[in-house]
Amino acid sequence: FDIGQIRNFSIIAHVDHGKSTLADRLLELSQTISKRKDNKQVLDKLKVERERGITVKAQSASMFYDYKGKRYLLNLIDTPGHMDFNFEVSRSLAACQGTLLLVDAAQGIQAQTVANFYLAYGQDIAIIPVINKIDLPAADPERVASQIEVAFELPASECLQISAKSNLNVDQILPTIIENVPSPSGNINKPFKALLFDSWYDTYVGVICLMAVIDGRDKIVSAFSERRYEVSETGIMYPEQTPSSSLQAGQVGYFVLNMKALSESHVGDTFFDHKHIGTPMPGFTPAKPMVWAGIFPIDTADFEKLDHSIAKLTLSDSSVVIQKETSTALGQGWRLGFLGTLHMDVFRQRLEQEYDANIIITAPTVPYKIDYRDGTQKLIRNPTEFPDLDEVNAKVKSVQEPMVKSTIIFQNDCLGDIMVLCGSRRGVQLEHTYLDENRVLLKYRLPLAEVVTDFHDELKGISSGFASFDYEEDGYDDADLVKMNITLNSKPVDALSIILHRSQAETVSRDWVKRLKALLSRQLFEIVIQATIGNKVIAREGLSALRKNVIAKCYGGDVSRKMKLLNKQKEGKKRMKAIGGVEVSQEAFYDFMSKK
Ligand code: GDP
Ligand code: MG
């Protein structure tokens, strides 16, 4: 294939702006897939993805297209549309020379449109603005085109206006790509060199690596990690894996290298001809898990099974980091690191749906850094590891928390409320721009910890669902943080410890203690619930003892009824966790953990 007739491109968009629909239309147009009536999206494979309407794993597809008497090979690299997966967007973009920036004609520019634009802009690739959904009654393509000009300095007149749903003007897309996106610049006569930009685990063949071939045309590659691999299969995604005898410079395709584990495939790795190992291309810094949570089986007997399920699930998602953890309250479990809270939710949902797991997941924690006066440093991923107040006072030089730079886009009328919300979350305003007379773009610097809890929900509440939000990491800042412990009858419940900003300690303590009281059921003894910081009690609630005894009812009654009741009680207990000598129902704990 002449490299001049290859185009590698992606589609970037805010979630729901129609990326998957457009991808399907392009695959149909190029006859890669036949037209479907059920409107099932070909590129979104996982069940959770469909349910949540998000693409978690980037998927790529190749198509052939005839234009002006020539046959072109077009490689579409799908990208995820959610902020937790920005890392996957940038690695997908690294394999492209151009991208379609898709914007909904009714909604206009949203936060992820801005974030994704800058990711593409930073990669120096051709950006083609496309306004989608022009069939909608509320569509205002002219207004959106002018927003695009204001926000990105892309001429409004150059925006394509399409409807992916009704197939209007979709036929303009591929010609525009061919005309405006440069072909890849590799050399077919040079030794093999390829960039690994995605990989996943396939139950039948093992690890599959998606690579962009930069130079050469060969089948035998070896990693710069100096491990040699034999290629057992290579081909293109058409749109399923379709073997071909070789892949050449400029092509994007998959390689089966007989890797045993996904951890062997380092995204950003360069592969060379084993006789011509050169300088690796700039790789990607691996995604750092920024949200950590403990996962525990509700029934300790499920530990082994859950261990297997988690191991299996992480085979297909190498961005989850696992370590074992033991909690005095919840027993043996794991501490898992995720890219963000959506990533965490998706993982939990897959664990429950695909592996039938019954779990408790603790409140998420961001990674904190502690600098001690003696020069040592500690990274905290679990609130129980956070030094107590005495230790902080005696030994700690500074505590630092991760920060983010966030973009929020919304209608002008909620400006005041949104600024109040950001202020209450310790945010500092960086930018305030009008995209048009009533669309506002705000940039705030905020502590990540404030963002991973209910910030997004609050934002949606204030704006009746219309504000959009995205963020990127922005280093660490010093912060005045304390650890709050919860005790039940003076026994600390480690799984309920959290790290708080000192200014919020009192409000949160009171709230937690009140909510715990409401969720715990009365038992045969009094329960005292306390929130403490250091050895100071910040909030306290008591739950009086229950007098009624289940058995009392049966005195004089027949034995079988008594046995039945006792068994019923035992069954009820299976769903309970004894925490600090206090029985806490699974539902209560779960409710408590899921509401921040
Ligand atoms: P993605 O999240 O960007 O992949 O968006 P999807 O392709 O899943 O589309 C989100 C929703 O918008 C779906 O319900 C689509 O049917 C709908 N949609 C996509 N394109 C159009 C369009 O051109 N017009 C209209 N009216 N709806 C569209
Ligand atoms: Mg999609």
Side-chain angles (χ1 to χ4, degrees):
F1 227 98
D2 181 351
I3 194 165
Q5 278 151 251
I6 299 178
R7 297 291 182 275
N8 298 323
F9 72 101
S10 61
I11 308 174
I12 52 178
H14 188 80
V15 67
D16 278 348
H17 281 196
K19 195 179 53 197
S20 302
T21 310
L22 177 61
D24 280 3
R25 283 299 103 77
L26 296 178
L27 295 182
E28 285 167 11
L29 204 90
S30 58
Q31 281 149 16
T32 313
I33 54 170
S34 54
K35 274 209 165 70
R36 292 156 169 262
K37 280 173 212 80
D38 56 3
N39 207 24
K40 244 196 220 137
Q41 288 163 354
V42 178
L43 294 182
D44 293 352
K45 283 185 184 155
L46 295 169
K47 187 177 168 203
V48 213
E49 286 182 357
R50 266 207 203 113
E51 272 181 9
R52 299 198 167 213
I54 52 160
T55 313
V56 176
K57 203 88 198 129
Q59 304 276 355
S60 153
S62 299
M63 50 196 133
F64 296 95
Y65 186 73
D66 295 323
Y67 179 65
K68 292 193 175 161
K70 279 187 188 159
R71 169 148 282 213
Y72 287 85
L73 169 59
L74 306 174
N75 299 308
L76 163 62
I77 290 154
D78 195 21
T79 56
H82 189 273
M83 53 194 165
D84 282 0
F85 305 100
N86 275 349
F87 163 73
E88 297 207 2
V89 177
S90 32
R91 72 200 199 188
S92 314
L93 290 176
C96 303
Q97 286 73 45
T99 190
L100 302 171
L101 178 72
L102 197 65
V103 187
D104 182 307
Q107 282 192 11
I109 290 180
Q110 300 290 314
Q112 279 128 57
T113 319
V114 177
N116 284 333
F117 168 82
Y118 281 106
L119 290 174
Y121 194 72
Q123 300 269 354
D124 223 0
I125 60 178
I127 299 173
I128 299 168
V130 179
I131 299 172
N132 186 33
K133 307 198 189 181
I134 58 165
D135 60 296
L136 286 177
D140 189 351
E142 299 314 318
R143 186 176 62 93
V144 175
S146 110
Q147 288 181 353
I148 289 173
E149 191 163 312
V150 170
F152 311 132
E153 295 175 15
L154 295 168
S157 58
E158 283 178 19
C159 292
L160 295 178
Q161 300 189 5
I162 66 158
S163 165
K165 196 174 184 178
S166 57
N167 231 341
L168 191 67
N169 297 340
V170 173
D171 56 347
Q172 295 175 4
I173 300 249
L174 296 178
T176 309
I177 288 170
I178 292 171
E179 299 282 355
N180 292 285
V181 175
S183 55
S185 61
N187 186 336
I188 192 169
N189 299 314
K190 279 191 180 168
F192 184 91
K193 181 172 149 191
L195 173 73
L196 172 69
F197 66 92
D198 195 7
S199 62
W200 61 89
Y201 193 84
D202 179 287
T203 14
Y204 299 105
V205 295
V207 181
I208 297 183
C209 299
L210 263 193
M211 295 201 233
V213 181
I214 309 297
D215 290 319
R217 166 205 214 121
D218 210 327
K219 276 186 63 174
I220 307 300
V221 291
S222 78
F224 91 96
S225 58
E226 287 173 3
R227 234 170 153 151
R228 254 179 88 159
Y229 293 101
E230 296 286 316
V231 180
S232 66
E233 190 184 312
T234 176
I236 60 173
M237 304 300 290
Y238 187 61
E240 302 295 332
Q241 289 148 36
T242 308
S244 68
S245 58
S246 80
L247 290 177
Q248 62 164 65
Q251 276 194 287
V252 171
Y254 72 93
F255 290 80
V256 179
L257 301 173
N258 299 326
M259 286 180 180
K260 296 277 177 301
L262 202 57
S263 55
E264 279 178 66
S265 67
H266 300 278
V267 166
D269 195 356
T270 307
F271 284 72
F272 293 104
D273 176 309
H274 65 98
K275 288 196 212 84
H276 298 90
I277 295 179
T279 321
M281 287 174 278
F284 308 102
T285 29
K288 279 180 294 245
M290 292 310 277
V291 171
W292 292 82
I295 290 188
F296 299 88
I298 281 166
D299 187 344
T300 42
D302 286 346
F303 182 84
E304 292 294 322
K305 189 182 151 224
L306 196 52
D307 197 40
H308 276 118
S309 308
I310 290 177
K312 257 194 164 156
L313 204 46
T314 45
L315 273 183
S316 65
D317 185 354
S318 55
S319 51
V320 178
V321 179
I322 342 175
Q323 54 205 40
K324 286 248 161 68
E325 169 171 309
T326 309
S327 152
T328 47
L330 298 174
Q332 263 195 310
W334 305 263
R335 181 134 296 247
L336 278 81
F338 301 98
L339 301 175
T341 37
L342 178 83
H343 187 208
M344 179 174 93
D345 284 350
V346 167
F347 191 87
R348 196 201 49 211
Q349 203 182 336
R350 289 190 66 187
L351 211 59
E352 288 172 346
Q353 281 179 355
E354 295 168 33
Y355 296 92
D356 220 6
N358 234 333
I359 52 169
I360 281 177
I361 186 156
T362 66
T365 309
V366 302
Y368 296 99
K369 281 182 188 162
I370 310 253
D371 269 323
Y372 286 92
R373 295 209 181 112
D374 65 5
T376 55
Q377 220 190 31
K378 195 167 150 190
L379 191 70
I380 307 275
R381 303 183 182 97
N382 181 342
T384 56
E385 298 162 357
F386 197 87
D388 275 316
L389 203 59
D390 289 347
E391 193 185 340
V392 171
N393 291 337
K395 296 185 184 156
V396 171
K397 196 167 102 199
S398 71
V399 177
Q400 292 137 43
E401 64 177 336
M403 303 296 291
V404 296
K405 223 190 265 170
S406 68
T407 304
I408 313 167
I409 297 181
F410 51 90
Q411 292 295 101
N412 200 12
D413 52 8
C414 19
L415 179 62
D417 289 342
I418 288 182
M419 284 170 64
V420 169
L421 172 69
C422 292
S424 74
R425 299 305 174 94
R426 302 188 278 133
V428 173
Q429 191 180 308
L430 303 173
E431 194 187 317
H432 182 178
T433 314
Y434 279 88
L435 293 175
D436 60 35
E437 62 278 13
N438 47 32
R439 292 295 286 172
V440 184
L441 182 157
L442 280 186
K443 282 202 186 241
Y444 264 85
R445 193 155 185 273
L446 287 150
L448 177 64
E450 299 285 348
V451 163
V452 297
T453 52
D454 55 352
F455 183 80
H456 206 178
D457 296 334
E458 295 256 324
L459 205 58
K460 288 229 151 120
I462 291 173
S463 63
S464 322
F466 289 116
S468 72
F469 171 68
D470 199 342
Y471 64 81
E472 57 185 311
E473 286 162 35
D474 196 31
Y476 274 75
D477 270 6
D478 283 0
D480 188 12
L481 302 170
V482 290
K483 173 163 74 170
M484 177 188 84
N485 291 314
I486 294 284
T487 63
L488 293 179
N489 288 345
S490 308
K491 295 216 177 66
V493 185
D494 59 353
L496 291 179
S497 293
I498 52 166
I499 298 163
L500 290 169
H501 192 258
R502 201 185 292 267
S503 64
Q504 299 164 334
E506 229 166 276
T507 337
V508 175
S509 301
R510 286 219 190 90
D511 175 56
W512 276 51
V513 164
K514 268 218 185 71
R515 280 183 30 227
L516 265 176
K517 181 185 175 180
L519 284 170
L520 291 178
S521 32
R522 293 164 72 200
Q523 295 178 29
L524 295 171
F525 44 87
E526 193 197 3
I527 305 171
V528 177
I529 311 158
Q530 289 182 321
T532 61
I533 290 175
N535 39 30
K536 222 172 119 198
V537 176
I538 308 292
R540 180 190 191 279
E541 290 281 347
L543 198 61
S544 60
L546 189 71
R547 273 194 214 103
K548 217 165 38 178
N549 185 334
V550 162
I551 316 275
K553 271 198 261 173
C554 321
Y555 272 134
D558 69 288
V559 179
S560 70
R561 175 146 181 272
K562 188 167 160 181
M563 285 310 291
K564 218 167 111 192
L565 266 175
L566 279 173
N567 279 338
K568 215 164 140 194
Q569 199 188 24
K570 217 155 96 198
E571 231 165 65
K573 269 199 179 148
K574 256 170 94 182
R575 302 177 66 82
M576 304 283 233
K577 272 260 173 201
I579 295 174
V582 178
E583 303 262 288
V584 180
S585 78
Q586 169 212 331
E587 286 78 16
F589 211 87
Y590 192 81
D591 270 11
F592 191 81
M593 287 305 185
S594 50
K595 270 188 230 105
K596 285 133 227 156

